[in-house]
Amino acid sequence: GTQILVFDSPASFLENANTESGSHREAAAAQQSQAHEATRKVLAAEALVEQQRHQSLQAMQRAAGANNEIAQAEAALSGLDQESVRLESESSTAREELEALGQQRGQVKISFESVTERLQRLEAEIVEMRNTLEQKRLEENQSRRRGDQLRAEMATLMGRRTSLEALIREHSYSTDTVKNIFEVNKRRNQQQSGGLAPVGTLADFLEVDGQYEAVVDEFLRDELNYIVVKSWDAAEAGMGMLQSEVSGRATFLVHPNDAQAAFPFAEGMRSNTATSNGIVPLKDCIRVLDGFGKSLEVILPKLREGFIAPDNETARHLALSNPQSFFLSPSGETFNSVTVTGGRLREQGPLALKRDLADVLSKLEAIESELSQNDVATLALTREIAELTTMLDSKNHERRDAERESANTGAALRQMEQEASRIESRLQQWQIAASRNKDQRQSRQDLIARKRDEASSFEAERSAIEARASELAETITSLRATREELQAAASAAAAALAGIEERRRNANANFEQTKRLFESQQQRIAQLESQITSASGEKQRREEETAAFEAQHTELTEMRAQAIAESETLSAEASSLRASMAELDTKLRALRHDTEALREQRAELSAKAAKLTSDLEHLEATCLNDLSVEAITLREDESIVRIEGDPLHEEEEASRALKQRLEAMGPVNMMALEEYHEVAGRHEFLETQRKDLLESIENTQASIKEIDDVSREKFDQAFTVINDNFSQTFTKLFGGGQAMMRLTDETNSAESGIDIIASPPGKKLQNVLLLSGGEKALTALSLLVGIFQYQPAPFCVLDEVDAPLDETNVGRFARLVAEMSSTTQFIVITHSKRTMEQADVMYGVTMQEPGVSKIVSVSLGGRSKGREARTAA
């Protein structure tokens, strides 16, 4: 309502103003207090809201943590599902591999059994082939030894044959007179003088049964030395030889084919002696060769009347009853009438020699036939041995292949069994892992369910907190509105109080102007105290708010630090787990790789062991074959030095080389000594030839060196002289200048080239190739003249060398040729008149008629002193 102030006086007015001012000040203080209370309620509500928000944040964080754990559990569950699928897939694959491996193992087992059976069969075949090969080698050695024996016998027989043929050919069984006759006749035949020409002795025309050879040799000793000739003229020539050149006596027997014979030889003559049992006529024991026939019975009475008795008594009895006949006893005595002739028999007469020669030839023919058959058999055995060796090598190679295949198959079978066991072990491991994975999946699912329940409870709590926070926010909004109203009322009361104070001051100014300063100071003091009180309350509220904020900040900082620490701990744990898993995976891969390497190494060692077993069996068989000693005996022998590595390989190569050399040597050669002497003689001859060749080579090299030295000396001398001549001739032709020859390699003149350096008048020294055509021609002519001056030639042909020269140089060229024509005849082909003027004779070719060339010659008689024309078609 409206207030009506009645001022009775300035003092009352001041008192009324003070009273009104006090009431309004109390009202303003009350309004200010209400406003402060409203602000405090707002701050408390805001603190409660902040606390609800913090609780909501914590609930949301716990829910987020639960969701994260759920997500991790779900991811782990997904990984476990994938792992389960992988394990199932790998288990299925492993089962399929195990099934396929079982099939392969069955096939490999069948193959292994087949290879083992084939290996056993090959072993049996190899043993059989080795036995056969040993038998064939034994037969071959026997055949070779038999061949060597036959060759030795054949060499002996050939020597015996040569000796017998020489004895028979040289008539060593004859008397000295007969030998001399044949020797002189041989010399005459060599000198082409003709004469005797004997056919031989009578012994050459007789063959006697072997059992009577010695008896007949003694009985017909003189008759067998009869020299058989073809005619009486030859006999007379022989008689003349006995009288002139040969001393002694000899009997010549003219061959029955001679036309001068005057009685029939062919009919023969009969003996008057009757034969009885045991008596053999001598003529029946002798076979006559080459035309004598039965004529010897006429010629030789002893042959006609000779008989062989079985013993001495019979021979003596028959000799007494048949005095005209001769009876021979087996011991060599000859009974005739009342005489008996005897003595020691000759070792070998002509008939025995012929019989020995026939025996030797027969044996030699038989031995040659047997040797040929033996060589054929040996060659066949060698070929069979080579074929058997080839077959044995093939079988050994096949056996080694079979052993290698067996070892590989066995290793593969064992590897497959190991692989099957490994796959079964992996299946068991995978089944255990699948069971463990199933348990982990169940625990993960339980954890997910539990965490979902926790997350739901956290979400519900957060929703409730947010609902309460919403209600508190509405309360705070209403409290803020109330606070604002109260603050507005307090402001209005303060404004009214300010107006009243203004009026009071105006009144007081009018009433107590002297006290205005004092009152003003009092009012100012009161106002300051009010402000200080208000400021103190505001400061207290601000300190409370600051303390609340600091507590909240400290709590949030601790929660943040705790969360960061937990995060770092979890991250470190996750990193360590990842590192551990990576390290375990690396170790697992390394262990798997080592396992595979060890498996491969075990397979290689198994194959190597099988190969070593095969090599050991081969070595044992080789010991039995080559040394006839078991390998275990050699191993037990401590005196044998054990070697290995490179020395073993070297010794094996040396043994193989020695075996090859031993096989290449072949059987023992019985003729080796003779062949050695022959080769030694040949070597001595070749060594002499070699020494002669070496001496010839040394002499030739010395001669070559001497020739080189002389050639180099001659070349140097010729080069110096020709170079001087060339320089002088060049200066003469060019009317000055200089030229010279220079070696490209002065240290080796034999291999050096020659450069020609020329400097015509007015030019510098340069290579001849840089001169003009005329200068080149004159330079070449200068060199040619220099050579001719050193070693003149009978003639020289120059073909248009003056063509590139001018008139002056042509004149110089012509004069030079004219000067040198005293020692050399020059034939110059030219078109230059000045050159022609220097010639003694000119020849020209013309064609006066088509197709017919004519040569025209002009003799200038010493440069145009006379001429004579001559033509020719």
Side-chain angles (χ1 to χ4, degrees), residues 154-227:
M154 187 172 70
T156 304
L157 290 174
M158 289 178 68
R160 179 64 177 163
R161 182 191 66 180
T162 304
S163 177
L164 291 173
E165 288 177 348
L167 290 174
I168 294 173
R169 184 174 60 252
E170 295 174 0
H171 300 89
S172 60
Y173 54 83
S174 302
T175 62
D176 294 338
T177 302
V178 174
K179 291 180 183 178
N180 294 332
I181 289 173
F182 279 99
E183 184 66 27
V184 173
N185 182 72
K186 183 177 179 182
R187 288 199 301 269
R188 287 184 175 183
N189 290 336
Q190 291 176 353
Q191 296 172 2
Q192 301 295 329
S193 60
L196 178 61
V199 179
T201 61
L202 183 58
D204 297 333
F205 295 87
L206 298 180
E207 287 184 356
V208 183
D209 293 340
Q211 57 183 340
Y212 305 122
E213 284 177 352
V215 177
V216 174
D217 272 334
E218 289 296 329
F219 179 61
L220 299 177
R221 174 179 292 188
D222 296 333
E223 287 79 2
L224 292 176
N225 284 317
Y226 287 177
I227 299 173

Side-chain angles (χ1 to χ4, degrees), residues 241-259:
M241 186 185 298
L242 288 171
Q243 294 175 1
S244 61
E245 299 182 30
V246 180
S247 62
R249 297 180 64 83
T251 302
F252 293 91
L253 175 60
V254 181
H255 199 278
N257 292 335
D258 185 15

Side-chain angles (χ1 to χ4, degrees), residues 683-826:
H683 176 266
E684 184 178 359
F685 171 74
L686 292 176
E687 188 67 24
T688 305
Q689 295 292 321
R690 177 177 175 273
K691 290 181 180 178
D692 293 341
L693 287 175
L694 291 176
E695 291 177 358
S696 300
I697 291 172
E698 291 178 358
N699 294 333
T700 304
Q701 290 177 349
S703 300
I704 291 172
K705 186 177 183 300
E706 183 179 0
I707 291 171
D708 289 341
D709 294 339
V710 173
S711 299
R712 188 176 295 105
E713 183 179 355
K714 293 291 185 181
F715 175 79
D716 294 339
Q717 180 181 358
F719 181 80
T720 302
V721 175
I722 292 172
N723 196 9
D724 294 338
N725 296 338
F726 169 56
S727 179
Q728 294 174 5
T729 306
F730 182 86
T731 303
K732 184 177 181 181
L733 279 178
F734 280 90
Q738 57 180 340
M740 59 180 173
M741 295 185 298
R742 186 170 59 191
L743 296 175
T744 57
D745 186 3
E746 296 181 356
T747 60
N748 186 10
S749 59
E751 301 293 336
S752 175
I754 298 176
D755 286 336
I756 298 176
I757 308 299
S759 174
K763 294 186 178 180
K764 64 180 180 179
L765 283 173
Q766 55 187 342
N767 194 290
V768 70
L769 298 176
L770 302 176
L771 300 178
S772 63
E775 291 172 343
K776 287 181 182 178
L778 287 179
T779 304
L781 185 61
S782 301
L783 179 59
L784 180 63
V785 170
I787 295 173
F788 273 92
Q789 288 176 350
Y790 175 75
Q791 188 69 40
F795 63 89
C796 177
V797 179
L798 302 176
D799 186 3
E800 296 188 8
V801 297
D802 56 353
L805 303 179
D806 55 12
E807 289 296 327
T808 303
N809 289 326
V810 168
R812 293 174 181 172
F813 163 69
R815 287 193 298 271
L816 182 63
V817 171
E819 291 175 359
M820 295 188 63
S821 61
S822 59
T823 57
T824 301
Q825 181 182 5
F826 284 90

